[in-house]
Amino acid sequence: MLKNANNPDELDKKETARLVIDLFHRSMIHHALWFAEVKHQMGMDRALEFLHAATKKSYDVQMHHLSKLLGFSMEDGIPGALLAMDDKALIDLRDRVAKNWLAGDGIWFQTIESAEGLNEAKRCNDSCWAQFSPFEAASIKKLLDLPENPGLQGLKKALAFRVYGFVNEQSFTDETPDSFVFQMNDCRVQSARKRKGLQDYPCKSAGLVEYSYFARAVDKRITTQCIGCPPDPHPDEWFCAWKFTLVE
């Protein structure tokens, strides 16, 4: 898109702005690749430990420089512009960021599916969840300051803070003192398919990875059982349901 430029100083304003966006993108990918390689070399547990440490230091350095350059304030590590937003606007931003995550996930799936077919897209999707679920669990535990093994109540809290928790409707039902059932009552992806007259997307293979890996990362004593997930038949009140049990 910058075909006529021999060096960055020859770019016009719009081209320079496009370059800045691309540099942000490169930084995010580089950050993710560092994590992936450390996980490959040292394992997931150590990689998550290093990820939290590196992210905190990197964020502080980058936001310090950007706030000085762009003239915005920082308060307890948070840009002042976010704190200045009214409550509804900030919640709207939260939900839009979550929806953008879901849109990006779908775009990746469709990109692979259109080029390589459904089976290849599902294979990549399931493998991606094997990486993302333990990362998201670790990130939420850090955010909420949960202990190492927070039990079923900790898992409930963590499930509520997943990205999916901001785009779908979900509920919890206590079954026994050592178990509860989680239901995805409205799934944004499946509901969209239903409105179009399409069958449920068969997401069980991904769900088995997604939920079991997430629960185990929150508390290694928790086991996961699928009650039902497409292509399984299910009642109108939920698309998928999962039972989590604490095994001492």
Side-chain angles (χ1 to χ4, degrees), residues 14-213:
K14 182 178 289 187
E15 290 170 333
T16 299
R18 197 182 303 279
L19 173 60
V20 169
I21 294 170
D22 189 64
L23 289 172
F24 275 116
H25 184 236
R26 292 185 223 172
S27 295
M28 289 187 289
I29 295 297
H30 193 220
H31 181 74
L33 290 173
W34 258 106
F35 170 67
E37 187 56 30
V38 174
K39 183 182 78 66
H40 172 70
Q41 298 287 347
M42 304 181 192
M44 178 63 84
D45 290 344
R46 290 291 280 163
L48 289 170
E49 178 184 337
F50 287 128
L51 176 67
H52 293 317
T55 297
K56 174 65 168 62
K57 292 177 183 178
S58 180
Y59 175 84
D60 289 346
V61 168
Q62 292 183 49
M63 295 307 292
H64 172 72
H65 292 152
L66 289 175
S67 64
K68 288 182 64 176
L69 179 66
L70 300 178
F72 61 84
S73 63
M74 295 289 293
E75 183 177 330
D76 293 330
I78 303 171
L82 291 177
L83 298 175
M85 297 173 70
D86 64 53
D87 292 348
K88 183 180 183 306
L90 188 58
I91 290 174
D92 287 344
L93 176 61
R94 177 199 72 186
D95 292 348
R96 174 43 58 193
V97 171
K99 291 172 184 175
N100 280 354
W101 166 84
L102 182 61
D105 180 67
I107 288 168
W108 262 108
F109 190 99
Q110 293 164 15
T111 299
I112 304 304
E113 182 182 16
S114 64
E116 301 294 338
L118 178 61
N119 288 339
E120 193 70 6
K122 282 178 62 62
R123 186 175 70 84
C124 292
N125 179 61
D126 296 357
S127 296
C128 182
W129 275 110
Q131 313 306 316
F132 184 73
S133 278
F135 154 72
E136 188 176 30
S139 182
I140 292 170
K141 287 179 72 174
K142 190 76 172 178
L143 181 70
L144 300 181
D145 195 25
L146 294 176
E148 177 63 25
N149 291 308
L152 294 177
Q153 292 305 312
L155 178 58
K156 285 182 182 179
K157 288 183 180 180
L159 286 166
F161 277 83
R162 292 177 73 220
V163 187
Y164 266 134
F166 302 110
V167 297
N168 293 340
E169 293 180 10
Q170 55 193 38
S171 62
F172 306 91
T173 303
D174 290 326
E175 189 177 66
T176 73
D178 297 319
S179 67
F180 72 86
V181 171
F182 170 87
Q183 295 179 352
M184 190 65 75
N185 304 109
D186 186 26
C187 173
R188 195 175 181 87
V189 172
Q190 301 289 22
S191 292
R193 292 179 64 86
K194 188 175 181 179
R195 288 193 300 271
K196 296 175 183 177
L198 300 173
Q199 292 184 336
D200 289 341
Y201 168 70
C203 56
K204 186 174 182 176
S205 61
L208 289 168
V209 174
E210 172 187 345
Y211 286 99
S212 61
Y213 278 47

